[in-house]
């Protein structure tokens, strides 16, 4: 067995695996966004093939081309062949690369398409046995993954079962310098952490809606006068959201409000006033539902 050049840190290997998983998720998200306006649901129908195609494409331009995944390349890691002789290439071999693709891409695809393959090969009589076998294999793989992870935490080698089966492990291809964290950096991190904790505690205690309404009242400086009953009323627009009022309500002025706009503002700010004319809500009893008969009467006045 060849000597390992520079053993990779456990945190670096875990970060690389997490980055690889995020790259696959981001690629799938971009593909979904590209076809989100398609009427047919072919993405769901071909989901196993799409997942396999994305992984195959990433494998082609990462492990096949650079002998490391994209996550490993970001952290300056590389796959080392544990079975290589000292006189041969010590990095992951072509055979291991192909096996890596078969296990990483082929096995999940076979699992997802197992029922379709059973129908295609006319193995309906073996369906229950095949399902039990797949279930046992999946359970065994999960147990092996747990055991392998505990072993990895102890000795730092073979972050996944796949790496252990193939005999490859993540290493630093070049000697890494000592990581030094200065006290200035630690002090800055502690300061920002304490500041963020303070914000998370203080912000929920601040009534921003009440502050906003107070500022708007001071800026608008609209006289708080009750409108005349003969004034023309706009019953098609909420004074807060400017949309068609839902369950229209009024407070005594010529404007109407959505039920939720008025109630949420009044509960957040008891001194809430109409943002258009400045007429305030004295008490909750001043909030009334706009009656249909009143709307019809206003419309007749407008026609007349």
């Amino acid at each position: 067995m060849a000597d390992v050049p520079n053993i990779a840190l456990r945190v670096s290997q875990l970060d690389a695996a997490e980055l690889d998983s995020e790259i696959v998720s981001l690629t799938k998200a971009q593909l979904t966004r590209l076809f989100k306006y398609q009427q047919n649901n072919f993405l769901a129908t071909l989901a196993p093939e799409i997942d396999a195609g994305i992984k195959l494409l990433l494998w082609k331009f990462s492990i096949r081309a650079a002998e490391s995944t994209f996550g490993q390349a970001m952290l300056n890691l590389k796959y080392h062949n544990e079975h290589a002789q000292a006189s041969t290439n010590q990095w992951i071999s072509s055979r291991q690369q192909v096996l890596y693709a078969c296990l990483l891409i082929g096995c999940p695809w076979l699992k997802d398409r197992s029922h379709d393959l059973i129908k295609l090969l006319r193995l309906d009589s073996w369906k229950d046995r095949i399902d039990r076998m797949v279930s046992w294999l999946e359970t065994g793989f999960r147990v092996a993954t747990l055991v392998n992870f505990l072993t990895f935490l102890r000795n730092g080698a073979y972050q996944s079962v796949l790496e252990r089966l193939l005999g490859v492990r993540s290493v630093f291809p070049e000697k890494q310098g000592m990581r030094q964290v200065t006290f200035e950096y630690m002090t800055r991190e502690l300061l920002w952490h304490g500041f963020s904790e303070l914000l998370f505690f203080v912000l929920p205690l601040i009534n921003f809606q009440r502050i906003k309404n107070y500022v708007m009242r001071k800026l608008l400086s609209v006289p708080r006068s009750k409108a005349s009953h003969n004034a023309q009323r706009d019953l098609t627009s909420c004074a807060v959201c400017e949309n068609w009022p839902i369950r229209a309500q009024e407070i005594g002025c010529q404007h109407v409000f959505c039920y939720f706009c008025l109630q949420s503002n009044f509960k957040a700010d008891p001194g809430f006033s109409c943002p258009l004319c400045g007429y305030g809500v004295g008490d909750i009893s001043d909030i009334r539902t706009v009656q249909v008969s009143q709307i019809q009467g206003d419309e007749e006045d407008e026609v007349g």
Side-chain angles (χ1 to χ4, degrees), residues 73-293:
M74 293 179 186
L75 299 175
N76 195 25
L77 297 176
K78 204 171 183 180
Y79 269 135
H80 178 266
N81 185 1
E82 294 291 283
H83 303 310
Q85 301 298 325
S87 58
T88 60
N89 181 23
Q90 296 184 5
W91 308 117
I92 182 172
S93 63
S94 299
R95 176 176 172 272
Q96 290 172 326
Q97 292 173 3
V98 174
L99 290 175
Y100 187 98
C102 292
L103 294 176
L104 181 68
I105 304 172
C107 291
W109 180 84
L110 287 174
K111 176 182 176 298
D112 294 334
R113 287 300 187 189
S114 59
H115 294 285
D116 296 330
L117 292 176
I118 290 174
K119 294 180 180 179
L120 180 64
L121 300 176
R122 298 179 180 179
L123 299 176
D124 295 336
S125 59
W126 292 74
K127 184 178 182 301
D128 294 337
R129 297 180 183 179
I130 294 176
D131 290 340
R132 286 197 300 269
M133 182 178 66
V134 171
S135 178
W136 292 341
L137 289 174
E138 188 175 1
T139 303
F141 179 76
R142 291 178 180 177
V143 173
T145 300
L146 176 61
V147 175
N148 180 81
F149 183 72
L150 296 177
T151 306
F152 165 75
L153 293 178
R154 181 175 181 179
N155 56 28
Y158 303 117
Q159 185 267 331
S160 65
V161 177
L162 179 60
E163 295 178 0
R164 187 176 294 275
L165 291 175
L166 297 179
V168 294
R169 63 183 298 185
S170 300
V171 298
F172 290 116
E174 299 177 358
K175 188 175 182 180
Q176 302 295 305
M178 183 178 297
R179 299 179 62 186
Q180 295 181 353
V181 181
T182 62
F183 287 104
E184 292 81 1
Y185 174 80
M186 296 176 62
T187 303
R188 185 165 61 251
E189 288 296 316
L190 290 174
L191 177 63
W192 280 110
H193 178 74
F195 181 68
S196 62
E197 290 291 335
L198 177 64
L199 289 179
F200 291 148
F201 175 76
V202 173
L203 289 180
L205 304 179
I206 302 176
N207 192 338
F208 288 100
Q209 188 64 36
R210 188 168 187 174
I211 296 175
K212 175 186 174 182
N213 292 337
Y214 176 80
V215 174
M216 293 300 295
R217 287 196 298 268
K218 293 300 182 182
L219 292 177
L220 291 176
S221 299
V222 181
R224 299 165 59 89
S225 58
K226 192 170 183 178
S228 173
H229 291 288
N230 296 326
Q232 183 178 358
R233 305 185 67 185
D234 183 9
L235 303 175
T236 62
S237 176
C238 172
V240 176
C241 66
E242 299 182 355
N243 294 322
W244 189 279
I246 301 175
R247 296 180 61 186
Q249 291 191 326
E250 61 175 352
I251 58 177
C253 63
Q254 70 267 30
H255 303 105
V256 295
F257 307 82
C258 295
Y259 172 84
F260 299 100
C261 293
L262 182 58
Q263 292 292 336
S264 60
N265 278 279
F266 181 72
K267 290 183 182 297
D269 180 16
F272 172 74
S273 60
C274 177
L276 299 181
C277 66
Y279 184 76
V281 183
D283 189 73
I284 193 172
S285 59
D286 295 335
I287 300 177
R288 299 181 298 274
T289 302
V290 178
Q291 303 296 329
V292 177
S293 59

